[in-house]
Amino acid sequence: MSIERRKERIDRPIKAVTDDIFCLSSIREIAYLVIPRMLPVLGLLLLAFFVPQYWRKVMVITFVMGMMALSWDFMASCGLTSLGQALFFALGAYSAGAMNHYFGLPIYLSIPLGTIIGAIISTACIYPTLGLRGIYFSVVTLIIPLMLMRIVETTGIFGGTEGITGLSPFPGIIVTMAVSMIALWLTFFGLRRLIDSDYGHIFVALKDNDRAVEASGLSIRWFKVQAIFIGSGVCCFSGAFMTHYYMSIGMSAFAIDLSIFPIAASVVGGMGTLAGPLLGAIILGPLSEALRAFGSYRVVIYAALLGTFIVTLPEGLFPYLARKYQQIERWVEAPGGISED
Amino acid sequence: MFLSVLVYGFINSVILVMVALGFSITFGISRVANFSHGGFYVLGGIFTWYGLIKMDLPYFLSAILSILIIGALGALMYRVVLVRLKGLELSEVIATLSLGIVILELLRGLGVFGYEFRNPVFIDGSVDILGVGVGIQRIIIVCAGALLLILLHFFVHHTKMGLAFRGVAQQEHTALSVGINPNLVSMLSLAMGSIMCALSAVLILPLGVISVDEGYDILIKALAVCIIGGLESTIGVLVAAFIIGYIEALTSMYISSSLTSVVPLACMLVILLIRPSGIFGKSKEIEERV
Amino acid sequence: MGCTKTISKEGFMILWKILCRITLVLIALLFLASHVSFAAPPPIVIGVPSSFKSIEASEGLKAITLAVEEINAKGGVKVGNEKRMLKVESIETRDMEPGVPLADALLANEKLILEKKPHVIIQGPTRSEVLLAAMDLYAQYKIPSINNAVASKFVDQYKSNPEKYRHCFRMFDGKYVVAGLGKVMEKMNKEYGFKKAYIVVQDAIWAVGIANGMNAWYKANGWEVVGFDKYPTGASDFSSSLIKAKNAGVQVVFPIFDMPQSGILVQQWKDMKVPAIFAGFISPLMGSNAWKTFGEKIEGVINIVFDGGNLPLEKYPPAKKFYDAFTKRWGEMQVGHKPAVDYDGVYAMVRAIERAGSLDPDKIAKELEKTNMVGATGRIHFADHQYVFGDDPKVDAISAVYQWKKGGKRVPIYPDSVAEGVIEKPASMK
């Protein structure tokens, strides 16, 4: 009888220990849990000090785009896959820009106000479409930014094609990096906590089985509105931040580039787990900068990566890495042969 | 002036029909939203251009070759990419969209920009219709469009293959049990959709220049027509194309030429809010509405 | 099973060590290579952050390269006591592509500045919106620049803070298009009594600015403007404007387009048999290749070359000299804007550096203001940091307006100082 082998995957011993109260039993267990979380935070912090000036700017942009990826993933976890994150980004950006330009508010007021107003307007925009499911919702989110872009271009409101320039800048690169980094980690850890909490479970239930939610006496629409508000709020913050970072805002805030990036980051990093899109953003952000020399081919490589990942590694990088970290794979004997049915 | 709107609106509508037909066929039969429609369209035009201008082939041959290549490309895309993603709607959309972007941006990177990238019209000249001068190419497009619709109707309703297509669209498992291979049928439907896409490119692109941004535009227009008309119905495509075509013409003439590009988007939005399955779509109210 | 794991682990460690060592060596080599200095003094770097998908920008880059090669062949630029060569560093900012955010284009500008450290910038961003934002960037890094985006807003922005923008200069202003074409309209009015016009324009800030100016000119000079249509970039159906124009009996259609689709406008004009003359700016009809592409359809179209130096003007030798040099080096020029002014810009900047005797930005800026030299597009001098355009190439820079005539000849008809022919009616009007 030939010995057949199969691949077995089981949790690492240390993972089994840390799953329970015993995670506090020694430094080793605590480290096992804390290091994967602290490593990126501290690592990026250190990196921020050592990279050349130009790459610092790239890091700031990566953080902001990472927040957009997080917001996309959050909304996707609630069952709302939007193909138009650019919409929320632009609404936040224009709100902050308008606050700053037309009302003369200083930067530390215009960004928060821009975020909140942007989130309110985004929710209002999306509200009528909350009755749609699946692909229809995605298509609507794809076309609204395109439409708004054309309308801004034609009617010339908010500066039209030339946009609004000369907005107040950030006081120095240190402040910029600090704000963006803090905002990123707050969003990331905050959203993770949110999804894991009881309140967050309702959002996840919206995706899995929304009729169960309705049957429990909770209004689907109202919770979807809340999900959109939170998700778009994060995105609006990105928009408001970038407006002041570049001291200008224009029609290009609706660009399809901005809608594709969060999707690409999520596909590469792993949809559903908030850490995945962040990982994806951290990979794709500097990568797309490094590829700038290729000009238009950059988008080609981007899209090719996206397509390849979705076909070959649909779960994304993060689940793959997490699996390696938490489980061991090994070949074991399968006495009696592997059953074939 | 109203007569000219009538004439040009009609031509505009037929162009929309041709553009959207390929997309509608693919979605109607294999349930795959082929977001690389725009990419195939521009690629079809470029292959024709290449054959004609760079390799000095006769126009007819160049066009036929390009249409066949695009058809093969569509089938290949199904076989390699989409067959693995069957049923995962979002992944299909992303995969096809990224393929479309790869094609378009690759062309852009290779320098497809400028007036030299145009296919010449088949016959130069113009005729007077109802007092409006109309280029002969446009008349050819209208005739070809009508012919295509008739052929399509005949194919889908009266040939064995066409019936197989409809069978797979309605109930895949039942089709399987009567011996129709759904994978093969889906692959062929994708090939057919791509062939139609390339055919419309060959006919319509001579009216203007081949430009990469047009690819994105085409995708939006096809989406608009299919969604407004209902994703599985050919009549829907026809009616929706005429509605959008005429609204566009009227807007351009009487309101403002710069708002024309907003029309398909606005119409799409309106329909999605009132009746998401489209005018002629089979009403799936419960599945779509919450 | 445990044994296999240990061995592979060791092997892995060895491999990893080797990889680390190789990487370190490579990094060290790269570091050294980038810091090697030669005996000769470092070259003066000319930065060109532009969008070369736009054919005008890429032809402009060719003209800049031509100028740099000519200057280097003569030994370079004299800065104080030493002679230094010129070097061109360009970066593709993609600012002409519709989907590209402003921020992205600005980042590309910044990347060029931080990595290649240009001493000066010539041509600058292609899209006017980007230039207006980039001015702050150039002011922050104190880089003298002679830019080429056309929107009139540049002058307003400059005047709002001349001290901050003291290093920023600009070549061509859209308002000169109105001035030049206005004179042409006047001629047509005198010759043929034309009085009705229809404006068709691309919906971009520079084009609409020019069209507004023309509209005002028409109103002030007693013309009737039957329509003013804006088309978004990429539009390909102009039938509604042509139908309205034909019905109103319009004699002059005034187009301002630089997108490739505008060639369709001419095609439709011919298809619909509109009896009107085209006079304006249509980019695809500009160069000598247009006759090959369109054939005799375009006979009678009047087009304006923003910088006169881009036409081989028989009556102004420096223009012809530049045109021939460009043709010899790169093949025939196909655009009407950028090459000549960029070429002159390089020479103006180089002369300013030589007069200043150093690469100090403030000194260069001061000397640039005093520029007064013979260029390919006329006499180059600045007012409010802007080239001055006029009627006589011996006094100011000039635009040139030409008409396509039988046989594919581009005959200049304005200004009179360089004109070689008169305006003729197109076939559809005879």
Side-chain angles (χ1 to χ4, degrees):
Chain A
M1 192 170 70
S2 62
I3 308 266
E4 304 244 345
R5 300 193 309 163
R6 64 178 174 93
K7 208 165 195 184
E8 178 187 62
R9 199 185 290 155
I10 55 171
D11 282 352
R12 288 181 194 275
I14 192 163
K15 164 101 171 67
V17 169
T18 53
D19 262 347
D20 213 327
I21 188 83
F22 293 104
C23 64
L24 296 172
S25 56
S26 86
I27 296 287
R28 189 160 153 258
E29 272 82 30
I30 297 178
Y32 182 79
L33 283 178
V34 166
I35 285 187
R37 283 145 180 100
M38 277 298 115
L39 196 64
V41 177
L42 293 173
L44 286 174
L45 196 62
L46 280 172
L47 209 63
F49 283 112
F50 290 119
V51 292
Q53 167 79 312
Y54 172 68
W55 286 95
R56 282 209 190 126
K57 300 212 164 225
V58 176
M59 282 185 78
V60 172
I61 296 179
T62 308
F63 292 155
V64 173
M65 298 299 260
M67 288 183 72
M68 278 187 74
L70 284 175
S71 96
W72 187 89
D73 198 48
F74 176 75
M75 288 171 72
S77 306
C78 307
L80 305 155
T81 8
S82 88
L83 291 178
Q85 288 302 82
L87 172 66
F88 310 130
F89 181 90
L91 284 173
Y94 268 105
S95 310
M99 290 287 120
N100 189 252
H101 185 89
Y102 296 123
F103 295 107
L105 294 176
I107 186 174
Y108 51 84
L109 276 182
S110 69
I111 292 190
L113 273 178
T115 312
I116 298 178
I117 295 179
I120 295 177
I121 303 180
S122 312
T123 320
C125 267
I126 298 286
Y127 184 75
T129 69
L130 284 180
L132 303 170
R133 277 233 215 127
I135 197 171
Y136 294 109
F137 177 79
S138 312
V139 171
V140 166
T141 50
L142 180 67
I143 58 178
I144 296 189
L146 292 172
M147 214 170 75
L148 283 180
M149 174 156 78
R150 294 281 158 78
I151 293 184
V152 168
E153 183 181 21
T154 318
T155 58
I157 49 172
F158 290 118
T161 40
E162 58 187 84
I164 311 176
T165 53
L167 302 170
S168 4
F170 277 99
I173 185 88
I174 308 281
V175 174
T176 323
M177 287 217 85
V179 170
S180 59
M181 218 186 282
I182 294 175
L184 177 68
W185 294 122
L186 272 177
T187 319
F188 176 62
F189 288 115
L191 280 177
R192 276 184 83 117
R193 276 307 208 106
L194 184 69
I195 289 260
D196 275 339
S197 71
D198 282 346
Y199 179 64
H201 276 144
I202 303 178
F203 292 145
V204 180
L206 282 173
K207 177 181 185 184
D208 291 335
N209 189 346
D210 43 12
R211 269 177 235 131
V213 175
E214 186 87 30
S216 313
L218 300 164
S219 156
I220 301 181
R221 276 230 169 163
W222 174 230
F223 277 96
K224 275 195 173 174
V225 163
Q226 291 175 52
I228 299 259
F229 188 79
I230 299 174
S232 68
V234 171
C235 224
C236 291
F237 177 82
S238 311
F241 187 91
M242 289 299 257
T243 306
H244 283 285
Y245 187 67
Y246 274 112
M247 298 172 277
S248 65
I249 176 69
M251 248 168 47
S252 51
F254 290 107
I256 200 167
D257 257 19
L258 290 165
S259 299
I260 301 266
F261 186 91
I263 303 180
S266 302
V267 168
V268 166
M271 294 192 259
T273 65
L274 284 169
L278 189 57
L279 179 65
I282 293 179
I283 296 177
L284 285 182
L287 184 70
S288 67
E289 253 325 295
L291 292 175
R292 187 184 280 282
F294 288 97
S296 280
Y297 291 118
R298 167 163 79 139
V299 189
V300 176
I301 297 178
Y302 231 59
L305 252 176
L306 182 55
T308 319
F309 263 86
I310 204 151
V311 174
T312 56
L313 193 66
E315 54 174 3
L317 269 180
F318 182 75
Y320 177 78
L321 290 174
R323 215 173 54 224
K324 286 286 175 208
Y325 189 71
Q326 290 174 344
Q327 295 168 327
I328 26 181
E329 291 180 7
R330 59 186 185 190
W331 289 101
V332 292
E333 283 178 15
I338 300 173
S339 62
E340 293 172 358
D341 58 41
Chain B
M1 194 148 86
F2 182 70
L3 283 178
S4 45
V5 174
L6 210 62
V7 173
Y8 265 89
F10 188 83
I11 299 174
N12 199 19
S13 310
V14 176
I15 291 180
L16 279 173
V17 168
M18 295 205 63
V19 160
L21 214 51
F23 190 85
S24 160
I25 293 279
T26 320
F27 194 89
I29 295 175
S30 51
R31 280 279 172 286
V32 171
N34 182 9
F35 273 65
S36 55
H37 192 76
F40 285 175
Y41 185 87
V42 176
L43 199 61
I46 285 288
F47 279 154
T48 317
W49 177 85
Y50 194 78
L52 184 65
I53 307 282
K54 293 284 180 186
M55 299 202 319
D56 263 330
L57 297 171
Y59 205 165
F60 192 62
L61 184 63
S62 188
I64 296 278
L65 273 175
S66 133
I67 293 176
L68 288 174
I69 294 178
I70 299 288
L73 195 63
L76 194 69
M77 179 174 82
Y78 183 80
R79 192 71 192 81
V80 170
V81 173
L82 289 171
V83 100
R84 293 165 214 268
L85 301 173
K86 233 174 161 175
L88 304 166
E89 268 184 10
L90 182 63
S91 302
E92 283 173 359
V93 169
I94 294 180
T96 46
L97 186 62
S98 40
L99 181 65
I101 295 182
V102 166
I103 294 177
L104 288 171
E105 295 297 326
L106 197 63
L107 289 176
R108 199 203 294 274
L110 289 171
V112 175
F113 185 82
Y115 207 76
E116 52 177 300
F117 290 95
R118 61 191 292 264
N119 292 334
V121 291
F122 295 170
I123 305 176
D124 211 357
S126 65
V127 248
D128 250 8
I129 297 187
L130 296 180
V132 184
V134 177
I136 297 194
Q137 181 76 17
R138 287 172 205 259
I139 302 187
I140 295 180
I141 291 178
V142 174
C143 299
L147 193 64
L148 198 63
L149 275 172
I150 297 175
L151 280 175
L152 199 64
H153 184 86
F154 182 74
F155 175 76
V156 171
H157 287 277
H158 296 287
T159 65
K160 211 159 171 201
M161 200 63 204
L163 288 175
F165 275 26
R166 282 168 66 206
V168 170
Q170 286 171 356
Q171 268 280 15
E172 200 171 309
H173 282 159
T174 317
L176 188 57
S177 61
V178 288
I180 304 175
N181 181 352
N183 273 352
L184 184 65
V185 166
S186 299
M187 190 167 89
L188 283 176
S189 79
L190 214 68
M192 224 170 83
S194 318
I195 287 181
M196 266 191 262
C197 180
L199 184 64
S200 2
V202 164
L203 285 168
I204 300 176
L205 282 174
L207 287 180
V209 262
I210 306 176
S211 97
V212 168
D213 297 306
E214 181 130 6
Y216 294 110
D217 244 3
I218 291 289
L219 180 62
I220 305 274
K221 288 205 174 125
L223 262 177
V225 171
C226 289
I227 287 186
I228 294 179
L231 280 163
E232 304 101 39
S233 133
T234 322
I235 302 203
V237 167
L238 204 60
V239 170
F242 271 85
I243 295 179
I244 301 181
Y246 269 100
I247 298 184
E248 267 187 2
L250 287 166
T251 313
S252 174
M253 187 66 83
Y254 294 114
I255 305 179
S256 159
S257 44
S258 36
L259 278 174
T260 332
S261 43
V262 180
V263 171
L265 302 171
C267 292
M268 225 192 325
L269 209 56
V270 166
I271 277 285
L272 281 172
L273 296 176
I274 306 176
R275 195 188 152 86
S277 37
I279 302 179
F280 280 91
K282 283 90 184 170
S283 178
K284 296 190 304 218
E285 287 281 337
I286 296 184
E287 272 178 37
E288 282 144 17
R289 286 199 163 278
V290 175
Chain C
M1 211 112 11
C3 289
T4 353
K5 215 169 174 169
T6 332
I7 291 178
S8 66
K9 208 170 185 173
E10 236 183 60
F12 183 64
M13 290 306 292
I14 296 177
L15 192 63
W16 181 246
K17 282 203 186 123
I18 297 178
L19 228 64
C20 281
R21 298 229 174 96
I22 296 181
T23 323
L24 278 166
V25 172
L26 277 172
I27 293 179
L29 277 173
L30 263 161
F31 187 71
L32 283 171
S34 63
H35 284 256
V36 168
S37 54
F38 295 99
I44 303 177
V45 177
I46 297 183
V48 187
S50 188
S51 177
F52 304 111
K53 286 289 175 291
S54 148
I55 185 174
E56 272 105 8
S58 65
E59 299 277 278
L61 180 63
K62 288 181 187 165
I64 294 176
T65 313
L66 178 68
V68 164
E69 286 172 359
E70 286 178 1
I71 296 174
N72 279 351
K74 296 202 190 105
V77 182
K78 189 162 183 304
V79 184
N81 287 332
E82 51 180 15
K83 275 220 158 183
R84 290 162 76 155
M85 294 294 191
L86 287 170
K87 186 167 182 275
V88 178
E89 290 285 358
S90 62
I91 190 169
E92 168 70 59
T93 57
R94 291 177 66 208
D95 60 47
M96 280 308 274
E97 286 168 36
V100 174
L102 185 67
D104 214 47
L106 283 176
L107 194 62
N109 270 275
E110 222 174 340
K111 180 170 179 159
L112 179 73
I113 294 176
L114 289 171
E115 288 192 356
K116 307 286 183 185
K117 301 201 196 350
H119 298 95
V120 297
I121 286 180
I122 305 271
Q123 193 185 112
T126 314
R127 196 150 56 115
S128 303
E129 294 93 322
V130 181
L131 172 63
L132 295 173
M135 280 170 74
D136 290 302
L137 200 64
Y138 300 158
Q140 182 191 346
Y141 287 102
K142 294 211 185 135
I143 304 186
S145 61
I146 313 186
N147 299 287
N148 217 336
V150 156
S152 300
K153 280 222 162 170
F154 168 86
V155 183
D156 299 328
Q157 184 148 336
Y158 165 71
K159 285 207 191 137
S160 69
N161 195 340
E163 181 52 35
K164 177 177 176 195
Y165 299 124
R166 63 185 182 278
H167 309 104
C168 227
F169 293 78
R170 207 263 297 259
M171 299 175 194
F172 187 79
D173 189 326
K175 69 178 188 211
Y176 292 120
V177 174
V178 178
L181 284 172
K183 296 270 169 57
V184 172
M185 298 293 162
E186 229 178 81
K187 273 186 197 257
M188 289 199 277
N189 180 292
K190 254 190 229 124
E191 266 301 308
Y192 301 113
F194 289 168
K195 269 207 166 277
K196 270 195 187 164
Y198 201 103
I199 301 182
V200 185
V201 69
Q202 184 171 331
D203 201 355
I205 169 181
W206 64 274
V208 175
I210 296 176
N212 283 337
M214 203 64 218
N215 202 7
W217 186 95
Y218 277 139
K219 298 250 165 69
N221 283 277
W223 284 60
E224 187 194 332
V225 180
V226 171
F228 191 135
D229 287 346
K230 294 188 234 173
Y231 284 91
T233 312
S236 54
D237 184 23
F238 307 95
S239 48
S240 56
S241 308
L242 289 169
I243 292 173
K244 282 188 256 188
K246 185 172 177 185
N247 282 347
V250 153
Q251 296 132 344
V252 177
V253 175
F254 181 80
I256 300 280
F257 285 95
D258 75 356
M259 61 195 194
Q261 286 86 343
S262 48
I264 304 167
L265 180 59
V266 180
Q267 175 78 35
Q268 287 188 315
W269 167 57
K270 201 213 136 216
D271 274 348
M272 301 175 92
K273 303 191 185 98
V274 180
I277 189 169
F278 262 53
F281 174 71
I282 301 190
S283 170
L285 266 55
M286 192 59 77
S288 46
N289 280 349
W291 193 260
K292 292 192 209 109
T293 317
F294 290 88
E296 32 171 56
K297 275 189 244 230
I298 60 175
E299 191 192 324
V301 170
I302 294 180
N303 221 339
I304 178 168
V305 176
F306 286 5
D307 347 317
N310 296 316
L311 264 186
L313 299 169
E314 297 290 337
K315 293 195 180 167
Y316 184 62
K320 187 139 193 347
K321 185 161 154 249
F322 167 67
Y323 191 86
D324 290 338
F326 188 97
T327 308
K328 190 160 144 208
R329 174 75 174 86
W330 298 105
E332 276 214 77
M333 197 189 298
Q334 294 306 321
V335 296
H337 174 48
K338 286 204 199 308
V341 281
D342 283 353
Y343 181 82
D344 290 337
V346 174
Y347 273 98
M349 187 65 87
V350 160
R351 299 271 154 77
I353 295 177
E354 290 185 338
R355 286 198 300 271
S358 88
L359 288 171
D360 177 66
D362 290 319
K363 290 200 185 138
I364 297 180
K366 277 215 169 38
E367 289 302 324
L368 266 178
E369 283 175 1
K370 299 187 205 149
T371 301
N372 194 327
M373 66 172 221
V374 171
T377 206
R379 183 162 277 273
I380 306 295
H381 60 110
F382 291 102
D384 276 338
H385 281 220
Q386 164 78 46
Y387 278 11
V388 179
F389 276 73
D391 287 338
D392 189 348
K394 296 194 192 58
V395 176
D396 298 312
I398 54 160
S399 308
V401 185
Y402 69 84
Q403 184 175 36
W404 280 100
K405 301 221 188 213
K406 234 183 206 29
K409 257 213 115 229
R410 294 180 289 174
V411 177
I413 46 150
Y414 170 82
D416 293 324
S417 44
V418 296
E420 292 166 33
V422 289
I423 306 176
E424 287 172 0
K425 278 195 197 172
S428 57
M429 289 186 91
K430 291 194 182 130

